[in-house]
Amino acid sequence: MATIRKSAVRERVNNPLNIKIHRGTHQIGGCITEYEYDGWHLFVDYGEELPGGPKSSDLRVECLTHGDLSKSALLITHYHGDHIGSIPKLPKELPIYMGKIGREIQKILSNRLKSVSTTHKEMLSRLEDVRTFEAGKSFAFGPFTIMPIVMDHSAFDAYAFRIEGGGVTTFHTGDFRTHGFRSKKLPEVIKKYVGEVNYVVCEGTNVSRPTAASLPEHELQKQFKKAFAEHKSNIVYVSSTNVDRLFALYHAAIAVGRKFIVDNYQMSIMEEVMKRDTMWGKSNLYKFKEDNMPMVLQFEDGEFRANDKFKWLLDQTGYVLIARANPLFDDFIVRIPGEKLKYLSMWKGYVDPKNEAYNESMTASVGNNYLYMHTSGHCDMDSLNGLFQMLHPRAIIPIHTDNPEAFAKLFCKEWPVIVLTDGNLISPFTDSCVDSEYAMVVSGKKKKCIGYFKSDEDARIALAHTVFGTTNKTRYEIIEEEDATNHKREDGLLSSLKISE
């Protein structure tokens, strides 16, 4: 049963917070979410769509890509291309915010690729105007209060946001996981900086990937350490911006006496984290041993230098080379000594010919004989539920998933899940008003308020997108409260509720 109570005092009702998913309700990557209150627009992420997914081309979004931008801003959760990759297309006058280290890592990446990619050349220019925030330090934009929360992800310096507008609070998760090196403090951070919220706009990447690896990063590091001890000549293919994995590989290598080898580009990313990271600066993970620094490859005459002395040293000590799929590394690997064992430590879709993200160069470089040692950068479903228990939202809105219906089925027994389609919105408002109107869903003995609304229409829209309970008997009821008298206007099965959006 769902109950809506209607306010008799309209002038006391604040403007609603409009939560709109422009893209990302039924796809992974390229998500664009808008929070609008009182004419102010706060957007989260503006990235590229992933290979193999739906293609909506360049969206034209009022107050983001065009129109009046005087009350608009964009938050970037992290530097992965499906979250930041399209910002060069946005007007220069639009203010953009992201984490400090994340911005610098993106600069290093784009600087390396600018000679072969116009997009990265334009990205470098756009990054000069990007403003930064700090984890745990709230800031205001118009009527919005934003609290950046650092999250563990395969991209370093990734963020979630607690967003408050008009008294309505939302936790926008961004991409995250709970099995990384930096995940242990998440409950403490949520309690201190977030608390309970009204809504969670949540990534659901792995809902359709039940076999996605969620091995803790420290356990993966132990496996690498064992493998490096058993084999002298090791070649690891890993994302150049997967900072935690890179440092874990460094420590695993030196722990068993292997030389850790990177090129200048890779070293610059690792040094950027060491130089700028204050939150995790005390962690030994992000420190090199003074007597066992990484070996940095020297580029000479169009190739990495490998003279006899260098080869002799590698033959004596063994090594772990961090490689990328390109002819430069392919040639170098042939010239260095040892019976090489290759490892793939990134998503396996890149070497799967059946996958749209298949990378022919990667497949050729890695070859057929390799060890697959990887863990996901995204959250498993049990851990997602643990986050919901901490936040205790009225409802959850899934994004960054190719199967929101499966997401709803998984969580609707305990939480109302609002399944939107691209372009849909819900319009809740604060519950601090007298005689306010709210919607409640009831399944069996479980009752959940999904929010307060300014009008019957707004409430019906939210209810019509809500999934709650494990049967088709969930009900709704609309009641108008006036002068302390209740008047039933409408009731029925939630599944039968029809709306016009």
Side-chain angles (χ1 to χ4, degrees):
M1 181 182 296
T3 304
I4 302 174
R5 289 186 176 173
K6 185 177 179 182
S7 172
V9 191
R10 288 291 181 187
E11 63 272 17
R12 296 181 183 177
V13 177
N14 295 340
N15 291 325
L17 173 69
N18 294 308
I19 304 172
K20 187 173 187 176
I21 315 302
H22 290 278
R23 188 170 65 198
T25 60
H26 288 74
Q27 69 184 71
I28 297 171
C31 299
I32 306 168
T33 305
E34 177 184 3
Y35 300 89
E36 185 274 329
Y37 180 76
D38 200 24
W40 290 77
H41 306 264
L42 188 64
F43 296 89
V44 180
D45 286 341
Y46 191 69
E48 300 168 325
E49 294 178 283
L50 296 177
K55 293 292 185 291
S56 57
S57 68
D58 293 336
L59 289 183
R60 286 185 58 78
V61 179
E62 184 76 24
C63 299
L64 175 66
T65 63
H66 64 282
D68 183 3
L69 305 179
S70 62
K71 295 182 178 181
S72 297
L74 172 66
L75 306 176
I76 299 296
T77 57
H78 62 283
Y79 53 69
H80 281 162
D82 61 320
H83 293 259
I84 193 177
S86 293
I87 67 168
K89 302 173 183 177
L90 294 174
K92 286 283 188 180
E93 58 269 31
L94 177 75
I96 301 176
Y97 298 82
M98 70 181 297
K100 290 182 179 180
I101 305 175
R103 182 185 65 177
E104 297 310 307
I105 290 175
Q106 181 64 53
K107 281 184 178 181
I108 294 170
L109 172 63
S110 292
N111 187 58
R112 172 178 166 267
L113 297 176
K114 66 182 180 182
S115 61
V116 296
S117 169
T118 303
T119 297
H120 280 284
K121 185 177 181 180
E122 294 170 348
M123 176 69 77
L124 267 179
S125 175
R126 192 67 175 92
L127 288 170
E128 292 302 319
D129 299 321
V130 168
R131 309 172 189 184
T132 61
F133 49 69
E134 293 185 39
K137 293 185 178 181
S138 65
F139 65 98
F141 178 74
F144 294 104
T145 301
I146 303 139
M147 173 63 78
I149 304 296
V150 69
M151 302 292 276
D152 194 298
H153 183 46
S154 52
F156 195 79
D157 202 34
Y159 288 88
F161 302 106
R162 182 190 187 274
I163 298 170
E164 181 177 352
V168 178
T169 55
T170 303
F171 188 71
H172 190 109
T173 68
D175 290 357
F176 80 105
R177 62 183 177 183
T178 59
H179 53 275
F181 290 112
R182 296 173 288 115
S183 300
K184 293 180 180 178
K185 292 188 176 182
L186 182 59
E188 178 185 334
V189 170
I190 293 294
K191 182 178 180 180
K192 182 176 181 180
Y193 295 104
V194 183
E196 294 186 357
V197 296
N198 300 137
Y199 301 94
V200 178
V201 176
C202 182
E203 75 123 310
T205 309
N206 281 339
V207 72
S208 294
R209 302 176 184 177
T211 59
S214 57
L215 181 73
E217 281 282 352
H218 69 271
E219 291 294 336
L220 183 65
Q221 183 188 30
K222 289 179 182 178
Q223 292 182 9
F224 272 113
K225 181 179 176 181
K226 182 175 184 294
F228 296 161
E230 294 173 353
H231 203 90
K232 284 182 68 175
S233 307
N234 304 277
I235 316 293
V236 185
Y237 292 87
V238 60
S239 169
S240 62
T241 59
N242 191 341
V243 171
D244 286 8
R245 184 76 48 80
L246 288 161
F247 275 100
L249 291 168
Y250 162 76
H251 288 289
I254 66 169
V256 296
R258 307 302 184 208
K259 293 297 182 181
F260 185 77
I261 309 171
V262 295
D263 68 347
N264 270 307
Y265 162 68
Q266 190 64 83
M267 187 65 171
S268 65
I269 290 178
M270 299 179 78
E271 287 181 328
E272 189 65 41
V273 172
M274 296 173 65
K275 177 175 66 178
R276 292 179 174 270
D277 186 28
T278 55
M279 175 172 292
W280 303 101
K282 296 180 180 179
S283 172
N284 288 327
L285 177 66
Y286 308 112
K287 295 178 181 177
F288 295 138
K289 302 288 185 182
E290 290 186 8
D291 59 346
N292 214 332
M293 295 290 288
M295 297 183 72
V296 181
L297 295 173
Q298 301 301 308
F299 189 69
E300 187 177 85
D301 297 328
E303 64 180 18
F304 290 132
R305 188 170 65 187
N307 57 26
D308 291 342
K309 183 178 179 180
F310 178 76
K311 293 177 184 178
W312 177 87
L313 178 61
L314 297 191
D315 191 46
Q316 294 298 305
T317 64
Y319 56 87
V320 174
L321 170 67
I322 302 302
R324 294 191 298 281
N326 62 48
L328 195 61
F329 275 99
D330 293 345
D331 171 70
F332 178 73
I333 291 167
V334 171
R335 291 186 287 118
I336 56 178
E339 185 180 342
K340 292 98 177 178
L341 178 60
K342 294 183 176 181
Y343 307 80
L344 181 64
S345 193
M346 60 179 73
W347 181 47
K348 209 169 185 177
Y350 297 128
V351 295
D352 179 4
K354 297 179 181 178
N355 196 290
E356 291 288 343
Y358 175 67
N359 186 312
E360 189 173 348
S361 296
M362 175 70 71
T363 304
S365 293
V366 175
N368 296 321
N369 298 316
Y370 64 88
L371 292 181
Y372 183 63
M373 296 177 65
H374 182 55
T375 189
S376 178
H378 296 274
C379 198
D380 65 271
M381 296 301 101
D382 288 342
S383 297
L384 267 187
N385 193 51
L387 176 68
F388 302 152
Q389 296 289 347
M390 288 184 270
L391 297 169
H392 203 74
R394 290 173 179 161
I396 302 159
I397 304 170
I399 62 168
H400 204 276
T401 177
D402 54 8
N403 197 342
E405 292 79 15
F407 185 103
K409 185 176 180 180
L410 191 62
F411 294 109
C412 70
K413 185 176 180 180
E414 186 167 1
W415 308 100
V417 179
I418 300 177
V419 179
L420 299 175
T421 55
D422 290 354
N424 287 152
L425 60 79
I426 63 167
S427 303
F429 75 109
T430 180
D431 56 0
S432 62
C433 301
V434 178
D435 294 330
S436 56
E437 169 183 328
Y438 64 92
M440 181 174 287
V441 285
V442 181
S443 178
K445 295 181 179 180
K446 290 188 176 181
K447 299 181 179 181
K448 294 282 186 177
C449 172
I450 67 164
Y452 291 71
F453 298 91
K454 188 175 182 179
S455 68
D456 292 347
E457 181 184 2
D458 289 346
R460 288 193 187 99
I461 289 172
L463 285 166
H465 289 289
T466 299
V467 180
F468 183 60
T470 56
T471 72
N472 59 358
K473 296 183 179 180
T474 302
R475 298 186 64 83
Y476 78 95
E477 190 174 279
I478 298 176
I479 296 177
E480 181 177 6
E481 183 183 80
E482 188 173 359
D483 298 327
T485 302
N486 295 339
H487 302 284
K488 182 180 290 188
R489 294 160 54 98
E490 180 183 331
D491 66 352
L493 291 172
L494 186 62
S495 59
S496 68
L497 187 58
K498 305 297 182 183
I499 56 164
S500 175
E501 294 187 81

